[in-house]
Amino acid sequence: MAKQHPLQEELIFGSGFFALLRKEVVRFYKVLTQTVAAPVLTAILYLLVFAQVLEGRLTVYEQINYVSFLIPGLMMMSMMQNSFANSSSSLMQSRLTGNLIFILLPPLSPKEIFAAFVTASIVRGLVVGLAIWLAGLFFSGTLPVHIAWVLVFAFMACAIMGCLGLVAGLSSEKYDQLAAFQNFLIMPMTFLSGVFYSIHSLPPFWEKLSYFNPVFYMIDGFRYGFFGISDVSPWQSFFVVLFTFVLTAVIALRILASGYKLRT
């Protein structure tokens, strides 16, 4: 049997996934002040304000104080926003600066590109969430009751936002359009999902409307992992979030496979 050339072996058995993943992780690691420190500071400011204004005046669950209730919501909100920003800003920057060609030229399949971008988004989201949780320990010793549920919802929520970031980064022509995607879709869905309140405290119309917001299930399931208490069943939240991930992943993969706005 003829011996293969080393380059041929590399092309057959090698994968650029790890190189692209490393590039994406290093990209946000180089600017930790912006990518990690800034969202942690924002979360701390929320905690400072709400701890002073509402602590002792507002009770969501009888056995849980408001600051403890708030910490998982702020963690999830920050994780989702940063996961979305990681993939969308990286792809947008690569397109506008013209260095996207260095991703398209190597023999990378759409699945490898998708997996690298989404995995890097998950890493950034989890780092931000962990940092906020550590900072939140100074306000309230909130420890997870069901760590498995915490990890499941954290991974899936970050993955969903990483997929949406790919879609936004591919469909936007300039940063204004990308900002509109975040300001008019991601931000409202996040703030109106129970980060600062239980949906059972809402008027009937807004409570029913919240059930159509997939972000609500991400936050509610994540909060269940901390307290063992939630507004809906964690299994219901799990299946809604899983369906949302599959849907967003399929859309992002189809766009990548079609080459939409990647080669122009």
Side-chain angles (χ1 to χ4, degrees):
M1 183 176 178
K3 185 178 179 180
Q4 283 186 315
H5 189 275
L7 178 59
Q8 291 177 320
E9 293 179 357
E10 182 180 352
L11 290 175
I12 294 173
F13 299 107
S15 171
F17 163 75
F18 295 103
L20 182 56
L21 173 60
R22 181 178 181 275
K23 174 253 183 188
E24 288 299 308
V25 171
V26 170
R27 189 186 73 87
F28 81 79
Y29 175 78
K30 290 290 186 179
V31 286
L32 284 179
T33 303
Q34 175 186 347
T35 57
V36 177
V40 171
L41 177 60
T42 300
I44 291 175
L45 291 175
Y46 274 121
L47 284 173
L48 286 172
V49 171
F50 282 101
Q52 293 296 322
V53 176
L54 295 177
E55 178 65 11
R57 302 182 183 181
L58 181 64
T59 301
V60 182
Y61 301 129
E62 291 184 1
Q63 61 271 48
I64 301 170
N65 64 65
Y66 185 68
V67 172
S68 297
F69 171 86
L70 192 60
I71 290 174
L74 290 175
M75 287 173 61
M76 182 59 83
M77 181 179 73
S78 299
M79 285 191 294
M80 290 189 296
Q81 290 176 352
N82 281 272
S83 297
F84 174 84
N86 197 74
S87 55
S88 61
S89 62
S90 177
L91 192 54
M92 185 60 131
Q93 186 179 32
S94 296
R95 289 178 58 203
L96 294 181
T97 57
N99 61 27
L100 186 62
I101 189 67
F102 297 111
I103 297 176
L104 299 177
L105 280 178
L108 283 166
S109 69
K111 290 181 180 179
E112 289 174 319
I113 296 174
F114 167 84
F117 274 97
V118 173
T119 303
S121 296
I122 293 173
V123 171
R124 176 173 167 180
L126 294 180
V127 169
V128 170
L130 178 61
I132 293 174
W133 177 70
L134 292 174
L137 291 177
F138 291 97
F139 296 85
S140 176
T142 304
L143 299 176
V145 175
H146 305 293
I147 187 66
W149 282 113
V150 170
L151 294 175
V152 165
F153 282 103
F155 272 92
M156 288 200 298
C158 292
I160 289 169
M161 290 301 160
C163 295
L164 288 177
L166 282 176
V167 174
L170 288 170
S171 59
S172 302
E173 295 288 347
K174 49 187 178 180
Y175 281 108
D176 290 347
Q177 296 176 356
L178 188 62
F181 197 99
Q182 187 161 10
N183 293 333
F184 294 104
L185 180 62
I186 304 300
M187 190 71 72
M189 289 177 64
T190 303
F191 272 87
L192 300 176
S193 58
V195 173
F196 303 100
Y197 55 84
S198 167
I199 64 166
H200 294 318
S201 63
L202 297 174
F205 172 79
W206 293 106
E207 180 181 352
K208 292 179 180 178
L209 190 63
S210 297
Y211 290 117
F212 294 94
N213 182 0
V215 178
F216 156 70
Y217 297 96
M218 300 178 202
I219 293 177
D220 197 57
F222 186 72
R223 187 173 278 130
Y224 175 83
F226 274 89
F227 307 121
I229 302 173
S230 57
D231 289 332
V232 299
S233 166
W235 286 106
Q236 180 182 351
S237 297
F238 172 78
F239 287 114
V240 171
V241 174
L242 179 62
F243 172 78
T244 305
F245 167 67
V246 172
L247 179 63
T248 54
V250 168
I251 294 173
L253 270 170
R254 287 184 66 89
I255 294 176
L256 280 171
S258 69
Y260 177 71
K261 292 189 178 181
L262 286 174
R263 300 179 179 88
T264 58

